[in-house]
Amino acid sequence: MSDANPAPEDEQPDFDAMARDIAEVPAVEVIVTVAVNLMSAAAVKIGLTEDGEKHKDLDEARKLIHALAGLLDASTTEISSFHAAPLRDGLKSLQLAFREASLVKDEPGQGPGEKYTGPVYG
């Protein structure tokens, strides 16, 4: 039995309040938050967590890394290098970890996100 009291079924989310809240968040913060979430999810899917093999799914990791690379490619000019540089470093680390975890190696330039970043060697 759970101690949590679920909300009544007829209670709806306050979308107006949520819109007001998101309106106060700068675009850079939204972009960085999304990028960090993509990075975290990709790390889990590569198997870089404590329970690595349990959650490992390289097909899913490939999609997440590719989406992260596209986001960073599209937004780098919009966010400062202060924000972009560590995100690019994280992306490259994920790409290298993916290459290491993969049994079937992609040709340089064909790995996840390399369409946007160029070939990653390692």
Side-chain angles (χ1 to χ4, degrees):
M1 182 174 221
S2 174
D3 290 335
N5 293 325
E9 288 183 29
D10 60 356
E11 191 174 308
Q12 296 295 317
D14 185 356
F15 292 112
D16 290 336
M18 291 179 358
R20 281 191 304 276
D21 290 346
I22 198 71
E24 296 172 9
V25 179
V28 170
E29 225 175 285
V30 173
I31 293 167
V32 170
T33 299
V34 169
V36 169
N37 285 330
L38 287 168
M39 291 174 89
S40 298
V44 169
K45 296 296 185 176
I46 291 172
L48 299 177
T49 61
E50 216 173 271
D51 297 329
E53 290 301 314
K54 182 178 176 184
H55 303 291
K56 189 173 182 178
D57 185 336
L58 295 181
D59 183 52
E60 291 289 302
R62 177 182 294 277
K63 293 170 187 170
L64 292 162
I65 294 169
H66 192 76
L68 173 62
L71 173 65
L72 294 181
D73 183 57
S75 64
T76 297
T77 58
E78 302 300 323
I79 62 177
S80 67
S81 60
F82 174 79
H83 294 292
L87 293 173
R88 282 193 304 265
D89 290 345
L91 170 60
K92 184 173 182 180
S93 294
L94 287 170
Q95 289 172 312
L96 289 169
F98 180 92
R99 187 170 290 281
E100 187 176 305
S102 183
L103 296 176
V104 179
K105 305 299 181 198
D106 293 314
E107 291 295 320
Q110 301 302 308
E114 292 181 20
K115 169 184 175 180
Y116 300 106
T117 64
V120 174
Y121 300 95

